[in-house]
Every structure is written in structure tokens, then in C-alpha cells.
Amino acid sequence: MANRVGVSPRTVSRVVNDEGGFSEATRTRVLEAVEDLGYQPNMLARGLITRRSGTVGLVGVDMTDPFFPAMAEGIQNEARETGRTMFFASNDGDPQRQAEVFRSLLSHAVDGVIVFPAPGTVEQLAAYARGGMPLVIVDDIVEFPNLASVSFDLEDGANQAARHLLATGRSRIGMISSEVTVPRNRRRERGFFQAFENAPTGTAPPELVRVQPTVTGGSNGLQRLLERRSDLDGIFAFNDSMAVGAMREAQSAGYRVPDDLAIVGCNDIEMSGLVSPRLTTIRLDRPRLSAEAIRVLHYLIEAPGSNPAPLVLPVQLVVREST
Amino acid sequence: MANRVGVSPRTVSRVVNDEGGFSEATRTRVLEAVEDLGYQPNMLARGLITRRSGTVGLVGVDMTDPFFPAMAEGIQNEARETGRTMFFASNDGDPQRQAEVFRSLLSHAVDGVIVFPAPGTVEQLAAYARGGMPLVIVDDIVEFPNLASVSFDLEDGANQAARHLLATGRSRIGMISSEVTVPRNRRRERGFFQAFENAPTGTAPPELVRVQPTVTGGSNGLQRLLERRSDLDGIFAFNDSMAVGAMREAQSAGYRVPDDLAIVGCNDIEMSGLVSPRLTTIRLDRPRLSAEAIRVLHYLIEAPGSNPAPLVLPVQLVVREST
DNA sequence: TTGACTTACGTCAACGTTGACGCCATCGTT
DNA sequence: AACGATGGCGTCAACGTTGACGTAAGTCAA
């Protein structure tokens, strides 16, 4: 490459990175050769010396979570604009596995990581941040140097859902929550219960079950709620998959949705608009979340050691047919 | 690291890679220090000299395609076992964008790439393979040195779907196909038409429309088919999203599914079991596909220049409620 | 005792790039 | 004419690792 143009590698580097310190004629000749040979600078060599590999990591809990690919799409688009490529991995909700994933990312010298944390790993993640790695935690609220967090205001979302059920005349309401214990779950439950603090008189105390956050879990959850109290008329589910499971269970048990039983989901995955009746749910602006996540990550990469305030994005109740 | 143990870096390298040529005592002391310091070999430096970066690329058309994350999951698990980390990118179905993605992956010296090709890019991909990059093309059938291809036998799938409709007494059948033109689409259409070659007498000639491969596209497609022929009694859709769209359209036009109109989808995404009636569809064994893709990729990496035969996986008709 | 062989290291160079610095020609100023 | 400043390069070393090779001490057989 260099000797083909008759200049030193250093000059090629200068031209490619547009550092200045070369003549117009040299620039033209180098760029021609770059074009001809399809030359691409070797990011490994560059990263070795600049300590910037031009990569970011995205670590999720489970790639098949419908939540995830939308994030990846947004993050990739943003990352591409700053010339970074994206590593992709899942931690399976397991701290051990998450540690392995981070070791691997560290050895590849990623410039930063966006992570949906495995349960109970905030300490572990803080340690990586302390070690100098820019880190963005999604879906949790954490304050720590060199670390940012972005999340949705699901406490408010749950609150909106419950208030909506109450406002549309439901008075015997249950919540199907997730038994996977991370702090944000509790926030959703708290927002839900809070809505009952000034509920209309005659409103029954709300019921709660915790099950696996899957379609089948949703079915089981509704079953268990109905065993406790068969005259329930409103359900808030922890996510849309569970809401769909609950809906199917309700329908096959002979309840009409929404006439006998109103159901509100949470997440607005594409599916929720396709089942019948279409699911009333909490919409999350995921493109916004991914944009904010990568934006704050780039900020952390540029300004190491800073400590941005946690970002909590608003959510919106979308009323469709199931309530 | 090296000087802390009092040995040379070369010896550390020997121990870490278990090359032999060190005493048991040295091994112990080095591994202790590795543990203490949380030492991780720098893959950039290693890759620079070994020409193996320990990464593979996964390039999809669109990350939000439900097809995709399942693949990513399988590929990641396999890749992890061989100590590789996964780059992740989408080409948006655009050859230009795909070329950019490949430039980026090349500059990061990936060991190989698994790609869902953008339409019409087989030549482009063959060029990368010729340039020495091990490549696996998913969902198409290609033969070329240094390149493998894995796909589902959707020709047979479409054929099974049509035969199923005929066998259950349907005689006026339409197919909603995709207007995005890649070779495999044509295969699906061919398999579909082939089923009519020895159809029962009294079977009407099959109808075909091509629309966008989305839920809305499916709706439009059914509309157009019914304009042509309002007494259709069987539909095969190019994928499940389109089938769901067609089903919604049929129901809102007053057709009962399956009584008036039987619908068969193709893909078996999770959603298809959740709509009502549950969709009869062609099931694809995606975990198997991803396992085969990464297996053959590792083979290509180990045996550069070889030319494995295209792999075509069987598919299975799953009869549920929509037929 | 000698020489061949083995074990357990160390040394050196190289991978492709960039940071730091040096050098020469040219130019403008006095 | 002398001098400093500037533009346009090249040179050297370093990033952390590994391939190739060297070497000193120990082992073994003749």
C-alpha cells in the first residue's frame, strides 16, 4: 500500500485519518490507491495503539426476548454513524455467564458496553465501570461513576394501567407479576398498588400473583388468580406475553374479554396488536430508549469518569380492545 | 504481569495457551498471577499476529425480523464454545449497506461471517469468499469455494401446504407471495404450483398475488385475491406475518376461518400459535439451522478453500386450527 | 568423558498502526 | 544574507502477543 504510492505508512495513515500534514497531490494519489486496492485500515493494529477498538458491546438477557432486537437495531444505526461495530451477546440472566461475556468483551477491548443486567449484578457491573469501562445499564436505575442508566418509567405505567381499569368501572382487579426478582419488577408492583390508594369506595383490595414472565406463565397466573377470586373483572399483566397467555386462559375458561374481564398488558410488542381482542397495553418508546442509551454511552466514552444522571423515559397507555 | 511472576511474556503466553515447554512450578505461579490480576490476553494483539481475531460476524436483513434473534441465540452459544465472540449487524436488504457492513467486519478481521444475504448480492458475497473470508449464506443455495450455504426446503414446504389444502377438500386456492425478489421466493411459488399438477378434478387453477412480506401486505394480498375471485376457500401465505394479516382481513370481510377459508402460513413464529384460530403453518427448525450454520462456518475456518455441499433442511407442516 | 538430546526457559522480530520527533526545503522577514 | 517559521514528509518506537530461534542446564547412552 505505502510503497505502491511511494510514501511511508505514516503518510498513508495521515491521509486516511485526515490528520493534515500532506500535500493535495499526495492525498489524491493515496486515496486512489486506497480505492484501487480496497484498502481498509486494520482496526486491531489501530486499537492496539490508540486503545480504542471501534467496537461496543450489547449484552442482553435473552436474544429471543422480543424487547431486544428493536434495541439492537437502534443501537446499531447509531453506532455505525460513529464508526463503531457492535458485539452482541446474552447473559441468560445468569451472573456467572454475564461475567464470562464481559471477560470476552474486555479481551476484545470494547470501547463500552450497553447491558440489560442479569438479576442482582449491579455490584458486578459497577466493578467493571470502576475498572474504567464505560457502561450503560438499561432498564434499571443506578448511579455510579463511569456508568449511566436508562429505563422506562414502568412504575408510572403500572399506575396508569390500574387507574385506567378503575376509571372504566372495574373494581376487582388482579396483577400478574413476574417472579424473577429484579428491582424494577417491584417498581411495577408499587405503581400498581399505589393506584388503589384513592380508589372508589367498593373497590376490592387488589390481588397479586407472581409467575414466570412467559405466555404459559400468564395462563397459570390467571388460573391462580381466578382460584382465589373467580369474579375478577380486571387484570394487569407484567408484560404482553403474559397478558396474551392470560387472555387465552380467560377465553377458554369462558370469560369474555373485555366484557367479563378487562386485560391490560405492558410492553407493546408487535403481537399485542394482532391477537383478538387487540390488547390494551403500555407502550414503550424503544427507539428512543436505544437512541438515548447509545448517546450516553458515546458521551461516557468521550468523557471518561463522568457520572450522568439516570434517565427515566415516560410511557404511554394505549387503549385498544381488551379493556 | 510477566515481571510480577519473574518470567518473560513469552512464557506467560506459553502457559496461557497451554503450549507446553514450562515446568509445573512455573505454570502454577503464572496461573496464580493470572487469577490475581484478572489478566485477559489482548485479542487485538493476538489477532494481529495470528490473523485470527476470535470473532465471527452475523449479518441479517433486519434485526426486527422475528426469524433473526433465534438464529443469533443458537449461533452465539456455539460460537462461545469455540471462544469466539459475535459481531452483529444488519444490511437492511440493501447491497450498498451490506458492502459497508462487510468492510467494517473485514477491518475488524473477523474469522468468518454468517449472512442472510441482501437480495441480489450472491456475486458480491462470492467476491468476499474469493478474497479468503469463510462465509456461510443462510436461506439460499449457493456453491462456491470458501463458501457454504444452509437453507430450509421451502419448496417442499409450500408443496406440503398446498397438498394439505387440497387433501382437506379445498379446491379454489390462492397464494399470497412476496414481491421482494430473491431466488428462494420463486422456489416457494414453484413448490406451491407443483402440488396442482395432479390435483383432483374440479380444482380451480391456483391464484397468485405478490405483496410486501408484512402483516399489512398480507391484508392487501387477501383483498386483491378476493377481488379476483370471491369464492376462494384456501390460502397459502408466504410467511406467518402475512398469514395473520390475511386472517384478520378475511375475518373483517365476514369470512369464517377455517370454515369458509382455510389459511396456511409459513415460518412458525411464536405469534402464529397465539392468534385465533391458531395458524396452521410450516415449522422451521431454526435451532438446527443455526447449529448447522455455525458448524459449517467453523469447518470453513479450519479448512480454508474447501467447498462444502449446500445443506437443505427438511420442514414440517403443523396443522392447527386455521385449516 | 563426550556428544546428542531434551527441558525450560529467554531473545528477537514481526503483525499494522500511530505518537513523538526530526529533518530538509521553502518562504517570509529583517 | 541570515534566521525563524512552516509545510511535507520520513524515522523510530511502541502497543501486546506469538513464531522462530537461541541457549544453558540437565539427562542419558556409549
Side-chain angles (χ1 to χ4, degrees), chain A residues 140-220:
Chain A
D140 207 337
I141 300 178
V142 184
E143 288 197 70
F144 202 85
N146 218 27
L147 186 158
S149 69
V150 297
S151 58
F152 288 116
D153 192 351
L154 290 173
E155 177 165 349
D156 177 59
N159 190 261
Q160 282 186 48
R163 291 211 322 271
H164 170 69
L165 287 169
L166 289 169
T168 52
R170 311 291 168 162
S171 59
R172 298 175 300 279
I173 300 176
M175 172 171 178
I176 303 177
S177 183
S178 167
E179 66 187 16
V180 183
T181 57
V182 291
R184 67 188 151 112
N185 296 8
R186 294 298 117 87
R187 272 199 275 275
R188 250 176 271 197
E189 292 176 10
R190 190 167 50 199
F192 174 73
F193 284 119
Q194 209 175 30
F196 291 89
E197 285 176 9
N198 35 16
T201 50
T203 301
E207 298 284 341
L208 176 79
V209 289
R210 293 195 184 121
V211 291
Q212 283 294 318
T214 60
V215 174
T216 334
S219 297
N220 298 341

Side-chain angles (χ1 to χ4, degrees), chain B:
Chain B
M1 171 69 211
N3 42 15
R4 154 151 163 170
V5 191
V7 297
S8 73
R10 192 64 188 81
T11 296
V12 174
S13 170
R14 275 192 268 253
V15 172
V16 168
N17 296 332
D18 204 22
E19 286 178 38
F22 45 82
S23 68
E24 188 53 32
T26 307
R27 200 185 84 94
T28 312
R29 276 172 28 244
V30 169
L31 290 182
E32 265 169 16
V34 164
E35 195 63 33
D36 277 14
L37 303 166
Y39 166 87
Q40 282 291 119
N42 182 322
M43 297 300 279
L44 303 185
R46 176 182 290 178
L48 196 51
I49 178 142
T50 61
R51 312 261 126 197
R52 290 281 169 88
S53 66
T55 59
V56 297
L58 175 60
V59 179
V61 173
D62 175 4
M63 293 188 188
T64 60
D65 179 349
F67 193 104
F68 204 39
M71 281 283 308
E73 182 75 19
I75 287 171
Q76 193 214 202
N77 289 337
E78 284 286 329
R80 177 154 47 204
E81 296 199 359
T82 58
R84 278 181 238 268
T85 310
M86 191 177 72
F87 278 111
F88 196 56
S90 62
N91 58 32
D92 294 341
D94 176 29
Q96 185 89 26
R97 172 73 40 126
Q98 180 172 284
E100 284 171 31
V101 166
F102 268 81
R103 260 205 301 282
S104 160
L105 293 176
L106 273 167
S107 77
H108 284 285
V110 291
D111 298 340
V113 178
I114 296 175
V115 55
F116 293 64
T121 54
V122 170
E123 249 324 303
Q124 181 190 117
L125 295 173
Y128 292 117
R130 205 169 13 240
M133 166 164 301
L135 212 60
V136 176
I137 294 185
V138 179
D139 226 15
D140 206 335
I141 300 178
V142 184
E143 287 198 70
F144 202 83
N146 218 25
L147 185 158
S149 69
V150 298
S151 57
F152 288 116
D153 192 352
L154 291 172
E155 178 165 351
D156 178 58
N159 191 261
Q160 282 186 49
R163 291 210 322 270
H164 170 69
L165 288 169
L166 290 169
T168 52
R170 311 289 167 163
S171 59
R172 297 175 300 280
I173 301 175
M175 172 171 178
I176 304 177
S177 184
S178 165
E179 66 187 17
V180 184
T181 57
V182 291
R184 64 187 153 110
N185 296 8
R186 294 298 118 87
R187 273 199 273 276
R188 251 177 269 198
E189 294 176 9
R190 191 168 51 201
F192 173 74
F193 284 118
Q194 208 174 32
F196 292 89
E197 284 176 8
N198 35 15
T201 50
T203 302
E207 298 284 341
L208 176 80
V209 289
R210 295 198 183 119
V211 292
Q212 282 295 318
T214 61
V215 174
T216 332
S219 297
N220 298 341
L222 187 69
Q223 244 171 7
R224 281 170 47 195
L225 281 178
L226 291 176
E227 277 165 23
R228 280 199 221 158
R229 185 164 189 150
S230 65
D231 63 345
L232 284 180
D233 60 5
I235 293 290
F236 170 58
F238 182 80
N239 68 32
D240 279 354
S241 297
M242 293 159 86
V244 169
M247 191 189 292
R248 294 187 68 77
E249 181 65 26
Q251 286 167 336
S252 71
Y255 290 77
R256 288 166 304 156
V257 178
D259 305 40
D260 302 328
L261 189 63
I263 299 182
V264 183
C266 181
N267 245 352
D268 199 32
I269 57 180
E270 194 201 6
M271 184 180 77
S272 65
L274 299 174
V275 294
S276 29
R278 283 156 56 225
L279 193 62
T280 292
T281 189
I282 305 294
R283 168 170 301 157
L284 311 183
D285 186 351
R286 268 180 275 273
R288 169 100 191 274
L289 186 70
S290 49
E292 297 288 354
I294 189 73
R295 192 189 53 73
V296 69
L297 181 62
H298 284 142
Y299 172 74
L300 280 176
I301 293 173
E302 300 308 322
S306 57
N307 186 6
L311 183 65
V312 179
L313 296 176
V315 299
Q316 189 195 353
L317 178 74
V318 181
V319 179
R320 287 193 283 229
E321 298 162 2
S322 70
T323 59

